[in-house]
Amino acid sequence: MKWLSELDDIKTPDSWIEDTLNMTSRKEDNRGRRREEKRGSVVKMHKGAGNIVKAAVVAGVLIAVSGGSVYAYNQYVAKYSMSNTASSLDHMGQSVDEDGNVYSYDAAQKVNETAVSSSDALSVEATNVITEAHQAVITLAVKSKNGEPIVYNDETRLSYPARQRFETAMVIVDDVPISGSGVSSGVWVQRVDDASVPSEARFELTVRASSVDFAGKDMKVRLTNFVDSWEVTKGIGFSYDSVADILAQGKAADSSSFKKVEKGKYADGSSQYEYALNPGSYKIKFSEQYPDAYIDNMGFGPRTDYDNTNAFYITVVPGRDADALEKLCFQNKTTGMMYNSTSIRKLDDGRIQVSVSPNQDRQYSRTNSGVYQNSTTDMLKNYRLVLNNPDKEPLTGNRYEGTWEFTVKSDESQAVADRVLKDLDITPDITSNYAVTGIRQVTLTDTEFAMEFDTDYTKWGNDKTLFTKFQKSIKIVMSNGSKISLGNKVGGGWSDRETAAEMDGRLPTFIDADDAVGIEIGGHLFKFE
């Protein structure tokens, strides 16, 4: 089975999150290519009220700390506009369609249960719960008790809110403990707010077990140790205001200046490619700290052989600083996030290559709507060049140690039945546009979408874009006229030797399935009875 979830090919530090939360009960071999989070060694950062290592930034002044005590704390000064690259996973938020119609999910049960905790620094409150037959989703409000930021946000250290988590999470239902992250059973906790309030966060806890009916049950939740992950930045004495100013020193190379480099194989044996920029004739100095290094070429070229969009590349002749400059990367000046869209760093001739794509950076990305974008000169005005953790510091640790325990009881009336469409009489244009020859079943719940369909597998094998086009044509039509797109939360697959195909996964916004009128496919509405 070939897996076609586009997100697997977006090289963001948090791509694994969306894939992890795509937790429908498909067989393991339908899961496809995975990305595993690369975790650094663990260092304890807080204990109780705050066991801060290194230093604190207070009103722009660096305050020393020692022995687990902060000697001064007044006003938190943020260096960057903090963003959560997983805020699109806020399933209990709003959806706005192309016509401006707004759909708000308000069917979740309110619970407001404050956790009993051994920590005097961090509080956790369960605020809402939604239950389906074999899963429940609980929203958690997390706050520091003294208003202290729960993120790093300064010149050299920046938290990844999307990676903040609890070290362990367990839910007990009917004396059955559920934990881990298996195919059909487990507990997942994900931060989903926009990270605009430094001392607060909102999480979604999802518990799933194929052997448990969660409706009307007491769910005893136990969380331990609040874990933070961060990036470490080191400046290079960047000589320009932005990368756009570097581009203004010459002319951007076009796609003819790039060569293909094989990086691996797809599951079907076909080659995966990345691209390397050929040597150029420029000698553009860019760093006061590394005066021997210079940029010899730059330009817009292909990012991968998969999404057909470009990235912006530079290649650096490093001189005697090759080892240090292998950590060179682009940094968004507004959010502080760092990016390099290719795994090729050191080329065969010794040059260092770095690149950036808007599809990595959620400030510019539209991938939640299934749309990929090209890099632009205007985008480059918000980037500079820095080093990414050149000293190989630990990048994760326990920010708050403790346990948080609470019990949530779901309302049995919350249990929802599947909405199902079978054997759809599809129109000829659906077949001609997407090479889909039949739709056997569509299943919709408050939280998930699934479809079983048939394809012209020869055309699907030759055109990797057909799945994306078909998926983007599908919308859930609500009674108020709103249309909920599937985005890239729903993946799918098919076999080279069979016509049978499937797609399934979490909806980008939870809905009241009883309020759904039908499913729109390729502009045609198929109504529920």
Side-chain angles (χ1 to χ4, degrees):
M1 186 71 75
K2 293 186 178 180
W3 194 248
L4 293 176
S5 176
E6 289 185 272
L7 195 70
D8 285 342
D9 290 277
I10 304 173
K11 296 175 183 174
T12 70
D14 304 307
S15 295
W16 62 275
I17 296 170
E18 306 245 9
D19 194 45
T20 301
L21 292 184
N22 189 12
M23 297 178 298
T24 52
S25 299
R26 66 176 69 91
K27 294 180 181 179
E28 182 64 23
D29 64 355
N30 287 348
R31 296 234 172 217
R33 299 189 300 274
R34 292 289 190 189
R35 294 209 182 280
E36 295 182 355
E37 177 189 14
K38 295 182 179 178
R39 303 189 185 276
S41 57
V42 173
V43 55
K44 294 181 179 178
M45 303 306 295
H46 280 64
K47 184 176 182 180
N51 208 13
I52 305 178
V53 179
K54 301 288 187 183
V57 175
V58 181
V61 179
L62 200 63
I63 305 297
V65 296
S66 176
S69 299
V70 182
Y71 290 125
Y73 185 86
N74 291 315
Q75 181 179 0
Y76 175 67
V77 180
K79 172 66 178 176
Y80 299 106
S81 174
M82 180 67 74
S83 66
N84 178 11
T85 57
S87 60
S88 62
L89 297 177
D90 183 2
H91 298 100
M92 298 195 191
Q94 290 185 334
S95 173
V96 182
D97 65 20
E98 296 173 354
D99 297 323
N101 297 312
V102 178
Y103 180 81
S104 299
Y105 178 74
D106 57 7
Q109 173 190 342
K110 292 177 171 54
V111 289
N112 300 321
E113 292 287 339
T114 300
V116 175
S117 175
S118 64
S119 169
D120 58 1
L122 194 73
S123 68
V124 177
E125 180 185 9
T127 58
N128 300 90
V129 62
I130 176 174
T131 340
E132 292 187 338
H134 300 296
Q135 76 167 5
V137 180
I138 303 170
T139 55
L140 307 175
V142 176
K143 297 180 181 180
S144 65
K145 292 183 178 180
N146 61 0
E148 176 187 351
I150 61 175
V151 292
Y152 291 114
N153 186 352
D154 59 44
E155 186 68 39
T156 62
R157 190 179 301 271
L158 181 71
S159 292
Y160 272 112
R163 292 185 178 182
Q164 289 188 319
R165 59 190 175 85
F166 290 90
E167 187 172 25
T168 65
M170 176 181 290
V171 179
I172 300 175
V173 182
D174 292 339
D175 296 324
V176 177
I178 307 165
S179 60
S181 54
V183 175
S184 59
S185 178
V187 181
W188 296 260
V189 185
Q190 175 61 52
R191 183 169 179 176
V192 296
D193 65 298
D194 62 8
S196 60
V197 181
S199 60
E200 300 180 7
R202 189 172 72 259
F203 287 76
E204 283 185 10
L205 180 151
T206 300
V207 55
R208 172 185 288 270
S210 57
S211 61
V212 176
D213 184 350
F214 289 92
K217 298 295 177 63
D218 285 343
M219 292 174 280
K220 299 179 181 179
V221 181
R222 186 176 193 272
L223 309 171
T224 65
N225 296 343
F226 185 78
V227 179
D228 195 6
S229 293
W230 55 86
E231 288 287 5
V232 173
T233 306
K234 186 175 182 179
I236 60 171
F238 188 53
S239 304
Y240 297 89
D241 182 62
S242 73
V243 173
D245 294 335
I246 295 178
L247 182 58
Q249 305 303 306
K251 182 180 179 180
D254 60 24
S255 58
S256 65
S257 299
F258 291 81
K259 64 179 180 181
K260 277 187 173 184
V261 178
E262 186 173 0
K263 61 168 284 191
K265 300 287 187 182
Y266 289 112
D268 63 353
S270 60
S271 296
Q272 290 179 291
Y273 291 100
E274 287 187 319
Y275 293 82
L277 180 58
N278 293 327
S281 57
Y282 296 116
K283 291 189 175 182
I284 302 172
K285 302 284 187 175
F286 63 94
S287 168
E288 295 175 4
Q289 186 171 335
Y290 302 103
D292 292 338
Y294 62 86
I295 295 169
D296 78 311
N297 209 355
M298 54 190 171
F300 296 95
R303 192 177 72 87
T304 70
D305 58 337
Y306 193 81
D307 65 33
N308 299 319
T309 60
N310 69 20
F312 179 74
Y313 293 76
I314 63 170
T315 50
V316 172
V317 177
R320 58 188 176 184
D321 297 309
D323 290 343
L325 290 173
E326 279 195 54
K327 295 292 186 178
L328 193 68
C329 69
F330 290 89
Q331 183 187 40
N332 185 312
K333 297 194 301 177
T334 301
T335 66
M337 305 300 279
M338 292 179 285
Y339 304 98
N340 181 40
S341 70
T342 176
S343 62
I344 305 172
R345 280 197 175 271
K346 194 168 185 178
L347 302 177
D348 292 341
D349 57 13
R351 290 177 302 142
I352 306 297
Q353 174 173 286
V354 291
S355 64
V356 66
S357 161
N359 301 307
Q360 293 178 289
D361 188 339
R362 295 294 174 88
Q363 181 173 341
Y364 301 103
S365 172
R366 297 293 180 271
T367 55
N368 290 331
S369 300
V371 178
Y372 282 79
Q373 298 187 108
N374 284 313
S375 300
T376 64
T377 302
D378 190 61
M379 182 191 79
L380 300 178
K381 294 177 182 177
N382 202 29
Y383 288 97
R384 62 185 167 205
L385 295 173
V386 297
L387 299 182
N388 186 348
N389 193 24
D391 299 323
K392 299 182 180 179
E393 297 182 32
L395 298 177
T396 189
N398 290 346
R399 196 171 181 88
Y400 296 96
E401 291 187 335
T403 59
W404 295 265
E405 298 179 340
F406 55 91
T407 299
V408 171
K409 183 171 183 177
S410 66
D411 187 342
E412 192 168 3
S413 65
Q414 268 216 324
V416 295
D418 296 349
R419 303 293 301 278
V420 178
L421 292 170
K422 289 190 175 184
D423 299 325
L424 301 188
D425 187 12
I426 63 173
T427 58
D429 60 317
I430 291 178
T431 298
S432 60
N433 291 336
Y434 311 113
V436 171
T437 58
I439 298 175
R440 286 174 279 124
Q441 182 163 309
V442 175
T443 305
L444 179 68
T445 73
D446 282 13
T447 67
E448 294 182 351
F449 175 90
M451 176 185 287
E452 300 172 17
F453 58 103
D454 294 304
T455 68
D456 182 328
Y457 62 85
T458 300
K459 290 182 179 179
W460 274 54
N462 293 330
D463 185 352
K464 294 178 180 178
T465 69
L466 280 172
F467 174 82
T468 303
K469 292 175 181 177
F470 182 52
Q471 182 202 50
K472 285 170 58 179
S473 81
I474 301 171
K475 296 176 174 62
I476 303 164
V477 181
M478 308 304 294
S479 62
N480 71 344
S482 297
K483 296 180 180 181
I484 311 296
S485 298
L486 301 184
N488 59 10
K489 309 296 190 300
V490 175
W494 92 107
S495 170
D496 279 337
R497 293 168 297 280
E498 299 175 1
T499 63
E502 63 181 34
M503 66 171 69
D504 55 16
R506 270 199 168 182
L507 297 171
T509 302
F510 290 166
I511 65 170
D512 183 348
D514 289 336
D515 196 37
V517 174
I519 306 297
E520 182 180 283
I521 303 173
H524 299 277
L525 178 62
F526 299 88
K527 291 186 176 183
F528 291 114
E529 295 181 357

PDB file of all heavy atoms in Angstrom, residues 120-141:
ATOM      1  N   ASP A 120       3.711  22.961  42.866  1.00  0.00           N
ATOM      2  CA  ASP A 120       3.183  24.244  43.312  1.00  0.00           C
ATOM      3  C   ASP A 120       3.468  25.340  42.292  1.00  0.00           C
ATOM      4  O   ASP A 120       3.348  26.527  42.584  1.00  0.00           O
ATOM      5  CB  ASP A 120       3.759  24.634  44.673  1.00  0.00           C
ATOM      6  CG  ASP A 120       5.282  24.723  44.672  1.00  0.00           C
ATOM      7  OD1 ASP A 120       5.891  24.491  43.600  1.00  0.00           O
ATOM      8  OD2 ASP A 120       5.861  25.018  45.735  1.00  0.00           O
ATOM      9  N   ALA A 121       3.886  24.926  41.078  1.00  0.00           N
ATOM     10  CA  ALA A 121       4.261  25.901  40.059  1.00  0.00           C
ATOM     11  C   ALA A 121       3.365  25.869  38.832  1.00  0.00           C
ATOM     12  O   ALA A 121       3.251  26.871  38.125  1.00  0.00           O
ATOM     13  CB  ALA A 121       5.714  25.676  39.629  1.00  0.00           C
ATOM     14  N   LEU A 122       2.721  24.724  38.569  1.00  0.00           N
ATOM     15  CA  LEU A 122       1.952  24.565  37.333  1.00  0.00           C
ATOM     16  C   LEU A 122       0.604  23.936  37.646  1.00  0.00           C
ATOM     17  O   LEU A 122       0.534  22.939  38.359  1.00  0.00           O
ATOM     18  CB  LEU A 122       2.719  23.674  36.340  1.00  0.00           C
ATOM     19  CG  LEU A 122       2.220  23.676  34.887  1.00  0.00           C
ATOM     20  CD1 LEU A 122       2.589  24.992  34.204  1.00  0.00           C
ATOM     21  CD2 LEU A 122       2.820  22.504  34.111  1.00  0.00           C
ATOM     22  N   SER A 123      -0.477  24.522  37.106  1.00  0.00           N
ATOM     23  CA  SER A 123      -1.818  23.967  37.300  1.00  0.00           C
ATOM     24  C   SER A 123      -2.357  23.423  35.980  1.00  0.00           C
ATOM     25  O   SER A 123      -2.028  23.915  34.906  1.00  0.00           O
ATOM     26  CB  SER A 123      -2.770  25.047  37.833  1.00  0.00           C
ATOM     27  OG  SER A 123      -3.011  26.040  36.853  1.00  0.00           O
ATOM     28  N   VAL A 124      -3.192  22.400  36.082  1.00  0.00           N
ATOM     29  CA  VAL A 124      -3.833  21.777  34.927  1.00  0.00           C
ATOM     30  C   VAL A 124      -5.318  21.639  35.226  1.00  0.00           C
ATOM     31  O   VAL A 124      -5.701  21.128  36.287  1.00  0.00           O
ATOM     32  CB  VAL A 124      -3.234  20.386  34.619  1.00  0.00           C
ATOM     33  CG1 VAL A 124      -3.983  19.732  33.465  1.00  0.00           C
ATOM     34  CG2 VAL A 124      -1.749  20.501  34.294  1.00  0.00           C
ATOM     35  N   GLU A 125      -6.157  22.076  34.292  1.00  0.00           N
ATOM     36  CA  GLU A 125      -7.606  21.955  34.451  1.00  0.00           C
ATOM     37  C   GLU A 125      -8.203  21.339  33.194  1.00  0.00           C
ATOM     38  O   GLU A 125      -7.899  21.771  32.071  1.00  0.00           O
ATOM     39  CB  GLU A 125      -8.245  23.322  34.685  1.00  0.00           C
ATOM     40  CG  GLU A 125      -9.769  23.252  34.863  1.00  0.00           C
ATOM     41  CD  GLU A 125     -10.411  24.619  34.982  1.00  0.00           C
ATOM     42  OE1 GLU A 125      -9.719  25.623  34.751  1.00  0.00           O
ATOM     43  OE2 GLU A 125     -11.628  24.680  35.280  1.00  0.00           O
ATOM     44  N   ALA A 126      -9.024  20.305  33.367  1.00  0.00           N
ATOM     45  CA  ALA A 126      -9.778  19.735  32.247  1.00  0.00           C
ATOM     46  C   ALA A 126     -11.014  20.598  32.027  1.00  0.00           C
ATOM     47  O   ALA A 126     -11.780  20.837  32.960  1.00  0.00           O
ATOM     48  CB  ALA A 126     -10.188  18.300  32.559  1.00  0.00           C
ATOM     49  N   THR A 127     -11.203  21.090  30.810  1.00  0.00           N
ATOM     50  CA  THR A 127     -12.301  22.033  30.549  1.00  0.00           C
ATOM     51  C   THR A 127     -13.425  21.453  29.710  1.00  0.00           C
ATOM     52  O   THR A 127     -14.591  21.789  29.923  1.00  0.00           O
ATOM     53  CB  THR A 127     -11.761  23.290  29.857  1.00  0.00           C
ATOM     54  OG1 THR A 127     -11.113  22.919  28.623  1.00  0.00           O
ATOM     55  CG2 THR A 127     -10.756  24.013  30.741  1.00  0.00           C
ATOM     56  N   ASN A 128     -13.109  20.583  28.756  1.00  0.00           N
ATOM     57  CA  ASN A 128     -14.136  20.008  27.877  1.00  0.00           C
ATOM     58  C   ASN A 128     -13.797  18.573  27.548  1.00  0.00           C
ATOM     59  O   ASN A 128     -12.630  18.165  27.608  1.00  0.00           O
ATOM     60  CB  ASN A 128     -14.242  20.798  26.557  1.00  0.00           C
ATOM     61  CG  ASN A 128     -14.604  22.247  26.765  1.00  0.00           C
ATOM     62  OD1 ASN A 128     -13.745  23.088  26.921  1.00  0.00           O
ATOM     63  ND2 ASN A 128     -15.901  22.538  26.766  1.00  0.00           N
ATOM     64  N   VAL A 129     -14.825  17.811  27.174  1.00  0.00           N
ATOM     65  CA  VAL A 129     -14.599  16.443  26.731  1.00  0.00           C
ATOM     66  C   VAL A 129     -15.598  16.112  25.624  1.00  0.00           C
ATOM     67  O   VAL A 129     -16.749  16.550  25.646  1.00  0.00           O
ATOM     68  CB  VAL A 129     -14.737  15.436  27.903  1.00  0.00           C
ATOM     69  CG1 VAL A 129     -16.145  15.450  28.492  1.00  0.00           C
ATOM     70  CG2 VAL A 129     -14.366  14.018  27.448  1.00  0.00           C
ATOM     71  N   ILE A 130     -15.127  15.371  24.643  1.00  0.00           N
ATOM     72  CA  ILE A 130     -16.007  14.815  23.612  1.00  0.00           C
ATOM     73  C   ILE A 130     -15.725  13.319  23.547  1.00  0.00           C
ATOM     74  O   ILE A 130     -14.574  12.889  23.599  1.00  0.00           O
ATOM     75  CB  ILE A 130     -15.779  15.485  22.236  1.00  0.00           C
ATOM     76  CG1 ILE A 130     -16.642  14.815  21.173  1.00  0.00           C
ATOM     77  CG2 ILE A 130     -14.325  15.477  21.833  1.00  0.00           C
ATOM     78  CD1 ILE A 130     -16.598  15.504  19.816  1.00  0.00           C
ATOM     79  N   THR A 131     -16.784  12.519  23.480  1.00  0.00           N
ATOM     80  CA  THR A 131     -16.643  11.061  23.522  1.00  0.00           C
ATOM     81  C   THR A 131     -17.265  10.421  22.304  1.00  0.00           C
ATOM     82  O   THR A 131     -18.359  10.799  21.882  1.00  0.00           O
ATOM     83  CB  THR A 131     -17.357  10.466  24.745  1.00  0.00           C
ATOM     84  OG1 THR A 131     -17.561  11.454  25.714  1.00  0.00           O
ATOM     85  CG2 THR A 131     -16.539   9.385  25.360  1.00  0.00           C
ATOM     86  N   GLU A 132     -16.561   9.457  21.740  1.00  0.00           N
ATOM     87  CA  GLU A 132     -17.115   8.577  20.718  1.00  0.00           C
ATOM     88  C   GLU A 132     -16.925   7.151  21.202  1.00  0.00           C
ATOM     89  O   GLU A 132     -16.392   6.927  22.299  1.00  0.00           O
ATOM     90  CB  GLU A 132     -16.446   8.831  19.369  1.00  0.00           C
ATOM     91  CG  GLU A 132     -16.807  10.193  18.804  1.00  0.00           C
ATOM     92  CD  GLU A 132     -16.300  10.403  17.404  1.00  0.00           C
ATOM     93  OE1 GLU A 132     -15.345   9.729  16.978  1.00  0.00           O
ATOM     94  OE2 GLU A 132     -16.860  11.256  16.713  1.00  0.00           O
ATOM     95  N   ALA A 133     -17.350   6.204  20.408  1.00  0.00           N
ATOM     96  CA  ALA A 133     -17.413   4.826  20.903  1.00  0.00           C
ATOM     97  C   ALA A 133     -16.112   4.362  21.546  1.00  0.00           C
ATOM     98  O   ALA A 133     -16.112   3.841  22.655  1.00  0.00           O
ATOM     99  CB  ALA A 133     -17.795   3.897  19.757  1.00  0.00           C
ATOM    100  N   HIS A 134     -14.999   4.544  20.863  1.00  0.00           N
ATOM    101  CA  HIS A 134     -13.745   3.993  21.357  1.00  0.00           C
ATOM    102  C   HIS A 134     -12.664   5.054  21.541  1.00  0.00           C
ATOM    103  O   HIS A 134     -11.468   4.722  21.552  1.00  0.00           O
ATOM    104  CB  HIS A 134     -13.247   2.891  20.416  1.00  0.00           C
ATOM    105  CG  HIS A 134     -14.212   1.758  20.286  1.00  0.00           C
ATOM    106  ND1 HIS A 134     -14.545   0.945  21.346  1.00  0.00           N
ATOM    107  CD2 HIS A 134     -14.954   1.326  19.235  1.00  0.00           C
ATOM    108  CE1 HIS A 134     -15.432   0.039  20.950  1.00  0.00           C
ATOM    109  NE2 HIS A 134     -15.707   0.259  19.678  1.00  0.00           N
ATOM    110  N   GLN A 135     -13.072   6.305  21.680  1.00  0.00           N
ATOM    111  CA  GLN A 135     -12.095   7.335  21.964  1.00  0.00           C
ATOM    112  C   GLN A 135     -12.755   8.508  22.679  1.00  0.00           C
ATOM    113  O   GLN A 135     -13.969   8.699  22.626  1.00  0.00           O
ATOM    114  CB  GLN A 135     -11.415   7.832  20.687  1.00  0.00           C
ATOM    115  CG  GLN A 135     -12.253   8.764  19.843  1.00  0.00           C
ATOM    116  CD  GLN A 135     -11.422   9.466  18.784  1.00  0.00           C
ATOM    117  OE1 GLN A 135     -10.233   9.204  18.607  1.00  0.00           O
ATOM    118  NE2 GLN A 135     -12.041  10.360  18.052  1.00  0.00           N
ATOM    119  N   ALA A 136     -11.932   9.288  23.373  1.00  0.00           N
ATOM    120  CA  ALA A 136     -12.387  10.525  24.011  1.00  0.00           C
ATOM    121  C   ALA A 136     -11.309  11.575  23.814  1.00  0.00           C
ATOM    122  O   ALA A 136     -10.119  11.260  23.755  1.00  0.00           O
ATOM    123  CB  ALA A 136     -12.654  10.304  25.496  1.00  0.00           C
ATOM    124  N   VAL A 137     -11.736  12.826  23.716  1.00  0.00           N
ATOM    125  CA  VAL A 137     -10.814  13.957  23.592  1.00  0.00           C
ATOM    126  C   VAL A 137     -11.118  14.935  24.723  1.00  0.00           C
ATOM    127  O   VAL A 137     -12.258  15.369  24.891  1.00  0.00           O
ATOM    128  CB  VAL A 137     -10.961  14.664  22.234  1.00  0.00           C
ATOM    129  CG1 VAL A 137      -9.981  15.832  22.129  1.00  0.00           C
ATOM    130  CG2 VAL A 137     -10.734  13.679  21.083  1.00  0.00           C
ATOM    131  N   ILE A 138     -10.106  15.262  25.506  1.00  0.00           N
ATOM    132  CA  ILE A 138     -10.251  16.160  26.655  1.00  0.00           C
ATOM    133  C   ILE A 138      -9.362  17.380  26.429  1.00  0.00           C
ATOM    134  O   ILE A 138      -8.185  17.242  26.094  1.00  0.00           O
ATOM    135  CB  ILE A 138      -9.836  15.466  27.966  1.00  0.00           C
ATOM    136  CG1 ILE A 138     -10.655  14.190  28.177  1.00  0.00           C
ATOM    137  CG2 ILE A 138      -9.991  16.403  29.143  1.00  0.00           C
ATOM    138  CD1 ILE A 138     -10.130  13.315  29.317  1.00  0.00           C
ATOM    139  N   THR A 139      -9.914  18.590  26.588  1.00  0.00           N
ATOM    140  CA  THR A 139      -9.093  19.789  26.490  1.00  0.00           C
ATOM    141  C   THR A 139      -8.568  20.153  27.873  1.00  0.00           C
ATOM    142  O   THR A 139      -9.289  20.060  28.872  1.00  0.00           O
ATOM    143  CB  THR A 139      -9.880  20.972  25.903  1.00  0.00           C
ATOM    144  OG1 THR A 139     -11.069  21.188  26.669  1.00  0.00           O
ATOM    145  CG2 THR A 139     -10.268  20.687  24.469  1.00  0.00           C
ATOM    146  N   LEU A 140      -7.305  20.578  27.927  1.00  0.00           N
ATOM    147  CA  LEU A 140      -6.625  20.891  29.168  1.00  0.00           C
ATOM    148  C   LEU A 140      -6.133  22.333  29.139  1.00  0.00           C
ATOM    149  O   LEU A 140      -5.474  22.756  28.182  1.00  0.00           O
ATOM    150  CB  LEU A 140      -5.419  19.963  29.380  1.00  0.00           C
ATOM    151  CG  LEU A 140      -5.666  18.457  29.303  1.00  0.00           C
ATOM    152  CD1 LEU A 140      -4.353  17.709  29.416  1.00  0.00           C
ATOM    153  CD2 LEU A 140      -6.638  18.017  30.396  1.00  0.00           C
ATOM    154  N   ALA A 141      -6.436  23.088  30.184  1.00  0.00           N
ATOM    155  CA  ALA A 141      -5.897  24.440  30.355  1.00  0.00           C
ATOM    156  C   ALA A 141      -4.721  24.355  31.322  1.00  0.00           C
ATOM    157  O   ALA A 141      -4.876  23.920  32.467  1.00  0.00           O
ATOM    158  CB  ALA A 141      -6.973  25.373  30.900  1.00  0.00           C
TER     159      ALA A 141
END
